[in-house]
Amino acid sequence: MKRLGSVQRKMPCVFVTEVKEEPSAKREHQPFKVLATETISHKALDADIYSAIPTEKVDGTCCYVTTYKDQPYLWARLDRKPNKQAEKRFKNFLHSKENPKEFFWNVDEDFKPAPECWIPAKEIEQINGNPVPDENGHIPGWVPVEKNNKQYCWHSSVVNYEFEIALVLKHHPDDSGLLEISAVPLSDLLEQTLELIGTNINGNPYGPSPSSWLMLANSRHLHEFKTSYYQHEPEQM
């Protein structure tokens, strides 16, 4: 199986953004919108954006496969967020027109406690062994998906730790023009990030279904999956 991507951080906008003073359509009590302009950002240019291959933004929830309890495990995304006092200071900083260039975080005191098994995402900046919050005031990270954890019941439905396999959307081995949902060894997915999609995930933009379904996927395959679903939607019985 060809290696999938390993995206550990939130991808910044390719374009320069601007703040517009009108109510947000996404956040109920936010009195402003953050919109993309037509100007490409310096970070994107430095990353050689013109040589990049664009892919669809996957509408699911991000997962990570790495070792836990001496075996390959599926991990769910869990960002550490600031407590109420720190969040209030940070929002005041963001909305202040005379704010300094940097906001000072005390990671030990400003953030809500994380589960003992939580790990920070790779590639995030660290100072003195402590992960540095991103521009949104979050510390991206992961927690292992335990079999009996109701909070991650949808994640659990795509893995079987006894047989160490996961349900994954991928190309058919005999026909690259077809996609299939296959049971893939978790060991083949180690250190990769995938998106959990399905009936109960993020509004399921990949088509209605007469029964519940969930699987792991990456952006290379989702456009083909969505296109083929709507072109060949099964007849209703």
Side-chain angles (χ1 to χ4, degrees), residues 2 68 170 198:
K2 293 182 179 179
Y68 179 64
K170 65 185 188 72

Side-chain angles (χ1 to χ4, degrees), residues 192-209:
Q192 298 176 26
T193 52
L194 304 99
E195 200 81 357
L196 175 67
I197 62 170
T199 307
N200 304 289
I201 306 298
N202 206 16
N204 183 26
Y206 300 103
S209 177

Side-chain angles (χ1 to χ4, degrees), residues 180-197:
E180 67 175 8
I181 302 172
S182 297
V184 174
L186 282 166
S187 58
D188 289 356
L189 305 172
L190 278 171
E191 302 311 315
Q192 298 176 26
T193 52
L194 304 99
E195 200 81 357
L196 175 67
I197 62 170

Side-chain angles (χ1 to χ4, degrees), residues 68-107:
Y68 179 64
K69 295 181 179 180
D70 297 322
Q71 72 174 95
Y73 240 75
L74 184 68
W75 294 60
R77 182 68 175 265
L78 179 66
D79 291 2
R80 290 192 63 188
K81 298 180 180 179
N83 55 40
K84 288 185 178 180
Q85 291 180 334
E87 185 179 23
K88 185 176 181 180
R89 285 194 296 111
F90 185 58
K91 285 184 176 180
N92 289 338
F93 162 80
L94 292 177
H95 297 158
S96 173
K97 294 182 179 180
E98 300 178 356
N99 57 24
K101 291 184 178 180
E102 295 185 7
F103 181 83
F104 175 75
W105 290 104
N106 184 327
V107 176

Side-chain angles (χ1 to χ4, degrees), residues 11 14-15 47-58 218-224:
M11 303 299 292
V14 172
F15 300 95
D48 195 17
I49 187 65
Y50 289 109
S51 299
I53 300 174
T55 59
E56 177 182 354
K57 182 185 182 300
V58 185
N218 79 319
S219 58
R220 280 207 314 247
H221 302 143
L222 283 171
H223 176 72
E224 300 168 55

